Amino acid sequence: MPINISDALFIGLLLGVVLLRPSMEKLRLPVSALVILVGLVAGPAGFSLLSFTEVIHLISELAVVLILFYAGLEVQWDRFIVALRPGFCIAMAGIVLSALLGILVSLNFETNMEQALYVGAALAATSIGLSVPLLKQANLLNTRMGQLLLAAAIIDDVIAMYFLSALHSTLSAQGDLGRMLFGLIIGATVLVFVTLVNIGFARVLKKTYFNQKAIAVTVLLFSIALASSVVTWYVDMSVAVGAFLSGAVMAWAGIGQKFSVPKGVFERLFSVATVAFFLAIGLQITAVSIASKSLWIFSIVVTLAAIVGKIISVWVIPLSISIRDRWLLGVTLIPRGEVGLIIAALGFKQAHLTHHAMVAVVVMTVITALIAAILVPILARGRVSEVPG
């Protein structure tokens, strides 16, 4: 996997944004949105200065692992457990409403049920890779509202990936229900396996001498997070699920408290990883034709369905939070990020999505990411302060 000029430019751009980030935050600029736009302008959809190479793809995947592992490490289990029930309700409402809206919109433009199901799957998921950094940057991840969002986003991601896996298996197996159920059972078994392996690793780590060796602990923790991500990816779930699960188990085992230095290292790596991930999102958007009016109407309607489905899900569930927090929670659930792009690419590759539908999902992914990146800091700024912890 040799490094080419695109890789070198990407690394240079990444370092430049990281250096400028403190100044951008002082000016209260929407950093995440600007980084996505930089990727768009520099990438195939803009001036084509960079292309989305294998090296950049690897960097973005490692960034997702770091982001979600750190998010898991930050979980406050007392609050997270309390947030699981409402989080599950919000996640299910968002999945059902968004998927139904996506299916109806797609069928309204073209009576192709396979395509409609893939559009519904793309709208069902929430990108925790995008939502978590936005909450962290707004200093809300450790608040009650942040833990509620985290619970909803994780449940959302797991169920949506199950939905995609079941859909893919069913269409590939021409409706073989037994094969679909087998795939779902395997997925659940893998999640239990990853959890148990991480519990055993945490127990071994706490009993060894590594608590005085920050570099060793950091490498070991990232290694188990990466291994967990590879395992969940292998069974057609997002790498984000394995990384978060690993971090959450480490938080439950008290690793974050015992090894405070590595946690600080991960926090610094987190700030770099978020920039790399958002840049990669922009670069993944390919140039699209603007000649077709129907294409853009379809794209806009799909995007509106994606936004409305997640926003409404927060209002149909009884929650003891303020109106501003409801809007903040809904907006944070909007972005589809890498999940939307994966589903668009898979559906198009398997000939379940037409070019128009694939482009519509890609456009939806970009717009929802930008909306969340712009609005979350604004809504968080006017929020009544809450002491984390």
Side-chain angles (χ1 to χ4, degrees):
M1 196 184 296
I3 294 178
N4 58 30
I5 190 167
S6 283
D7 304 328
L9 285 172
F10 179 82
I11 293 170
L13 201 57
L14 170 61
L15 294 175
V17 174
V18 169
L19 291 173
L20 290 173
R21 184 172 179 166
S23 300
M24 295 166 72
E25 289 176 344
K26 280 185 179 180
L27 294 172
R28 293 189 171 184
L29 296 174
V31 179
S32 301
L34 289 174
V35 173
I36 294 171
L37 286 173
V38 168
L40 275 168
V41 172
F47 293 104
S48 297
L49 301 175
L50 290 84
S51 57
F52 191 70
T53 65
E54 289 185 18
V55 171
I56 296 175
H57 179 256
L58 177 61
I59 292 172
S60 68
E61 290 293 297
L62 292 175
V64 171
V65 174
L66 265 170
I67 290 168
L68 271 299
F69 177 74
Y70 181 70
L73 206 59
E74 287 275 276
V75 167
Q76 297 180 14
W77 275 95
D78 53 344
R79 291 189 170 199
F80 190 72
I81 290 171
V82 171
L84 277 177
R85 183 176 178 182
F88 177 80
C89 295
I90 292 170
M92 288 305 300
I95 288 171
V96 172
L97 288 170
S98 299
L100 284 177
L101 285 173
I103 290 169
L104 290 173
V105 165
S106 182
L107 288 175
N108 187 60
F109 279 84
E110 186 175 345
T111 54
N112 181 335
M113 181 53 75
E114 287 188 8
Q115 175 168 289
L117 289 171
Y118 262 86
V119 173
L123 267 61
T126 289
S127 171
I128 50 179
L130 279 162
S131 299
V132 168
L134 291 174
L135 278 182
K136 179 65 178 174
Q137 290 163 13
N139 295 317
L140 293 177
L141 192 58
N142 286 335
T143 64
R144 176 174 171 270
M145 204 282 295
Q147 297 293 299
L148 178 61
L149 180 280
L150 198 55
I154 293 298
I155 294 167
D156 190 315
D157 200 42
V158 171
I159 295 176
M161 287 299 102
Y162 263 123
F163 178 26
L164 176 61
S165 178
L167 175 62
H168 182 61
S169 298
T170 302
L171 293 178
S172 300
Q174 299 181 338
D176 187 340
L177 183 62
R179 179 174 170 178
M180 182 187 76
L181 291 175
F182 178 74
L184 296 179
I185 293 169
I186 290 295
T189 304
V190 165
L191 291 179
V192 173
F193 171 75
V194 170
T195 301
L196 293 175
V197 168
N198 275 272
I199 289 173
F201 181 85
R203 287 179 176 174
V204 170
L205 188 60
K206 289 174 74 173
K207 292 179 180 178
T208 63
Y209 63 91
F210 286 115
N211 58 322
Q212 301 299 324
K213 300 180 182 295
I215 295 177
V217 175
T218 302
V219 171
L220 285 170
L221 288 176
F222 183 70
S223 297
I224 189 66
L226 187 59
S228 301
S229 301
V230 170
V231 172
T232 53
W233 167 81
Y234 190 74
V235 292
D236 293 329
M237 282 190 283
S238 169
V239 295
V241 175
F244 177 83
L245 190 57
S246 178
V249 170
M250 296 303 156
W252 173 78
I255 296 296
Q257 292 75 25
K258 186 175 178 65
F259 303 117
S260 57
V261 176
K263 191 175 177 182
V265 172
F266 276 113
E267 186 166 8
R268 287 188 289 274
L269 291 173
F270 174 90
S271 63
V272 177
T274 53
V275 175
F277 178 69
F278 284 124
L279 266 178
I281 287 291
L283 288 177
Q284 288 181 73
I285 311 307
T286 57
V288 295
S289 170
I290 60 173
S292 174
K293 182 179 177 181
S294 63
L295 167 63
W296 288 106
I297 293 174
F298 188 24
S299 300
I300 290 168
V301 176
V302 167
T303 302
L304 289 174
I307 294 169
V308 170
K310 295 299 180 181
I311 294 291
I312 291 179
S313 68
V314 178
W315 292 87
V316 299
I317 303 300
L319 297 169
S320 57
I321 59 176
S322 67
I323 292 176
R324 179 178 287 274
D325 277 0
R326 282 185 186 269
W327 280 110
L328 179 57
L329 187 58
V331 170
T332 313
L333 287 168
I334 284 175
R336 271 52 172 199
E338 77 288 351
V339 180
L341 294 174
I342 289 169
I343 293 174
L346 180 63
F348 187 65
K349 183 179 179 181
Q350 299 295 329
H352 299 307
L353 287 179
T354 63
H355 177 263
H356 269 41
M358 186 271 291
V359 171
V361 173
V362 170
V363 170
M364 175 275 297
T365 299
V366 178
I367 294 176
T368 54
L370 287 172
I371 288 174
I374 292 169
L375 292 184
V376 167
I378 294 172
L379 290 169
R381 203 176 299 151
R383 186 177 181 272
V384 177
S385 62
E386 176 185 343
V387 179

